[in-house]
């Protein structure tokens, strides 16, 4: 797989970028919320259509090369965010406590919302792998090592990983845009929320905020960038040493109460709980 | 992947980012300045990747790229003003569009696996992303108030 030599994907990407940037950002107001449609979101959708296997426009190695290209380009976003942070270091230290504490929200928010929903939907041990983290590449390794490559936990992680690749960015981009339009949270707080530790999801959500609050664009990138830096460096250790044990504990405690899967019913009938 | 491959890939996407910058976000910025800004960011990114490779202990590339980028514009850096001036000319959103275009072009490879996933896990996945975003935002909101920033 040679990323640079897969010239067809670059031609497709170039055409898609020109087309979507010409269309530009569109807003649709729905009651109190505004849906923000950014060129990058159309770009993802058009790209997905081009790569649709039935159309046979792209071959599998080309799709893999696109994925590798995505990985390389994410570092440019990190650089762009970093050069914005440099001059604002002093300003960031003023909100140092907020910046460090909100990481707890990033690390545990996946479990707090995801775990009860998974149990109510009747999902079994997949719940642990699915909800203990945002399930990007490093998180897969943790679960594979802990539970083995043929475990339900790893299936859960992989499922969320695939969903993230397919529509994580679009979802968070739209969601962040809606939250921005509702005036519940300060743009700085939302910006920190964007640092979820996935390049494409961070790009889509902080991009949406920037489009919603153009006059605060620079500050938004500073806070989103700093938060993302923390999430992606500390996140892996926190996931391993805190989030995973916490998720396992909560699963053990909560699944007999709100779990609906066949395993839980059997267990409660057996009187083990 | 070789450093040269990283560099070439960043340059290919640079063509798209500079076009997008002109068409979509910063029509008044001269293309030449955006090109310089983009090339500076390519240099910073490659230095970050290089640092990660030569160091004996392993931290994520993201970390080193961030550190090099931040150091280049902190007040102690002699090139801070130049780097800030030119990199400011490239809009963040102009960098995002090519990235998500490639993300889209990669979608086909995961579709077969996706078909095997239950709709229930899809809902859980959306809750996972929403949860991490919204809980961090909530904590940040409270703490920023306490610190008097907002």
């Amino acid at each position: 797989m040679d990323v640079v030599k897969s010239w067809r994907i670059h031609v497709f990407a170039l055409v898609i970028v020109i087309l979507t940037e010409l269309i530009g950002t569109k807003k649709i107001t729905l009651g109190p919320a505004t849906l923000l449609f950014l060129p990058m979101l159309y770009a993802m959708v058009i790209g997905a259509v081009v790569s649709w296997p039935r159309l046979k426009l792209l071959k599998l190695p080309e799709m893999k090369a696109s994925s590798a290209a995505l990985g390389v380009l994410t570092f440019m976003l990190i650089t762009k965010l970093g050069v914005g942070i440099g001059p604002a270091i002093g300003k960031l230290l003023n909100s140092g406590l907020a910046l460090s504490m909100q990481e707890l929200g990033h690390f545990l928010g996946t479990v707090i919302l995801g775990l009860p929903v998974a149990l109510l939907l009747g999902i079994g041990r997949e719940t642990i792998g699915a909800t203990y983290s945002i399930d990007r590449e490093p998180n897969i390794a943790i679960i594979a090592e802990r539970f083995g490559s043929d475990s339900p936990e790893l299936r859960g992680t992989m499922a969320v990983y695939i969903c993230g690749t397919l529509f994580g960015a679009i979802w968070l981009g739209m969601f962040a845009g809606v939250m921005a339009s509702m005036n519940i949270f300060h743009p700085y707080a939302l910006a920190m929320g964007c640092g979820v530790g996935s390049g494409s999801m961070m790009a889509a959500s902080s991009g949406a905020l920037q489009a919603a609050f153009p006059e605060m664009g620079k500050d938004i990138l500073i806070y989103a960038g700093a938060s993302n830096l923390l999430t992606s460096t500390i996140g892996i250790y926190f996931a391993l040493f805190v989030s995973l044990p916490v998720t396992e504990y909560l699963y053990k405690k909560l699944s007999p109460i709100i779990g609906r899967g066949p395993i839980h019913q059997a267990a409660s009938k057996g009187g083990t709980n | 992947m070789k450093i040269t491959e990283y560099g070439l890939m960043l340059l290919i996407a640079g063509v798209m980012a500079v076009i997008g910058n002109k068409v979509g976000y910063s029509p008044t910025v001269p293309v030449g300045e955006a090109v310089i800004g983009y090339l500076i960011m390519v240099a910073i990114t490659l230095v970050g990747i290089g640092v990660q490779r030569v160091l004996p202990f392993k931290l994520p590339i993201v970390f080193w790229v961030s550190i090099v980028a931040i150091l280049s514009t902190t007040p102690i850096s002699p090139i801070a003003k130049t780097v800030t001036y030119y990199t400011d000319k490239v809009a963040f959103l102009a960098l995002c569009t090519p990235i998500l275009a490639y993300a889209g072009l990669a979608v086909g490879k995961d579709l077969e696996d996706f078909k095997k996933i239950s709709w229930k896990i899809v809902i859980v996945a959306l809750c996972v992303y929403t949860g991490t975003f919204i809980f961090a935002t909530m904590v940040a909101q409270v703490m920023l108030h306490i610190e008097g920033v907002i």
Side-chain angles (χ1 to χ4, degrees):
Chain A
M1 178 185 67
D2 196 322
V3 178
V4 176
K5 283 183 190 154
S6 302
W7 60 273
R8 295 177 63 232
I9 59 170
H10 307 308
V11 173
F12 275 121
L14 177 68
V15 173
I16 291 171
V17 168
I18 296 175
L19 195 73
T20 54
E21 296 291 13
L22 283 172
I23 301 170
T25 304
K26 304 276 178 230
K27 290 178 186 176
I28 296 176
T29 308
L30 286 174
T34 305
L35 293 180
L36 207 52
F37 294 91
L38 293 169
M40 65 168 129
L41 300 182
Y42 326 141
M44 170 114 200
V45 174
I46 298 175
V49 171
V50 171
S51 84
W52 209 263
R54 287 256 175 88
L55 292 181
K56 294 192 165 66
L57 287 170
L58 290 184
K59 295 189 185 75
L60 191 61
E62 289 174 313
M63 297 173 195
K64 287 189 172 156
S66 303
S67 180
L70 160 72
V72 175
L73 298 181
T74 317
F75 297 132
M76 278 297 273
L77 283 187
I78 302 298
T79 298
K80 171 73 182 167
L81 295 169
V83 296
I85 291 174
I89 284 273
K91 191 173 177 175
L92 270 178
L93 291 178
N94 286 334
S95 42
L97 198 57
L99 206 48
S100 13
M101 295 298 289
Q102 57 88 31
E103 283 303 320
L104 290 176
H106 275 135
F107 299 146
L108 298 174
T110 60
V111 192
I112 298 173
L113 195 61
L115 187 121
V117 171
L119 290 178
L120 286 171
L121 286 169
I123 298 172
R125 292 195 64 86
E126 284 85 353
T127 302
I128 296 172
T131 65
Y132 90 108
S133 74
I134 189 155
D135 293 336
R136 300 319 296 163
E137 286 83 352
N139 306 111
I140 298 174
I142 291 179
I143 293 293
E145 210 181 334
R146 170 92 169 71
F147 298 100
S149 55
D150 198 29
S151 58
E153 288 85 352
L154 186 65
R155 279 200 298 278
T157 309
M158 288 312 296
V160 174
Y161 172 78
I162 291 165
C163 291
T165 310
L166 294 186
F167 44 73
I170 294 191
W171 171 260
L172 268 195
M174 299 303 290
F175 186 72
V178 168
M179 291 311 292
S181 69
M182 308 246 290
N183 281 322
I184 305 170
F185 298 108
H186 192 277
Y188 293 175
L190 288 167
M192 288 189 191
C194 295
V196 295
S198 145
S200 58
M201 290 187 225
M202 182 264 296
S205 51
S206 52
L209 286 191
Q210 227 198 2
F213 307 107
E215 71 289 354
M216 288 191 217
K218 264 194 132 171
D219 287 338
I220 284 168
L221 292 191
I222 291 166
Y223 287 117
S227 162
N228 198 64
L229 174 59
L230 286 177
T231 312
S232 43
T233 46
I234 316 167
I236 185 77
Y237 304 102
F238 200 96
L240 179 60
F241 295 114
V242 185
S243 308
L244 186 53
V246 166
T247 311
E248 284 191 85
Y249 176 82
L250 288 175
Y251 178 79
K252 216 171 102 192
K253 289 287 162 201
L254 290 178
S255 65
I257 307 168
I258 56 171
R260 290 156 179 264
I263 303 159
H264 316 116
Q265 280 160 11
S268 49
K269 270 180 199 155
T272 44
N273 294 296
Chain B
M1 232 170 133
K2 287 186 199 135
I3 289 270
T4 46
E5 248 185 298
Y6 273 102
L8 284 172
M9 187 58 232
L10 293 176
L11 292 180
I12 293 171
V15 176
M16 305 172 205
V18 169
I19 294 175
N21 200 52
K22 190 74 187 169
V23 178
Y25 307 101
S26 320
T28 54
V29 169
V31 169
E33 293 197 348
V35 170
I36 297 173
Y38 190 88
L39 291 176
I40 291 175
M41 289 195 280
V42 170
I44 292 171
T45 308
L46 295 180
V47 170
I49 295 170
V51 169
Q52 197 263 357
R53 295 211 168 172
V54 296
L55 288 178
F57 50 96
K58 287 300 160 208
L59 279 171
I61 295 180
V62 171
F63 176 79
W64 290 114
V65 171
S66 296
I67 293 297
V68 174
I70 294 171
L71 285 179
S72 75
T73 55
T74 39
I76 55 161
S77 157
I79 51 167
K81 284 229 164 65
T82 317
V83 173
T84 302
Y85 176 83
Y86 286 106
T87 55
D88 258 359
K89 306 291 175 187
V90 186
F92 179 72
L93 288 167
L95 298 175
C96 295
T97 312
I99 295 181
L100 286 198
Y102 282 106
L105 292 171
V107 157
K109 78 180 172 60
D110 292 320
L111 275 177
E112 275 310 307
D113 288 329
F114 180 69
K115 285 183 192 157
K116 295 177 199 145
I117 296 173
S118 142
W119 60 270
K120 292 175 177 177
I121 278 276
V122 177
I123 295 178
V124 172
L126 295 181
C127 290
V128 164
Y129 309 136
T130 311
T132 192
F133 177 85
I134 204 73
F135 281 97
T137 302
M138 278 159 42
V139 177
Q141 175 85 13
V142 174
M143 296 310 295
L144 284 168
H145 257 297
I146 294 176
E147 286 183 291
V149 177
I150 55 172

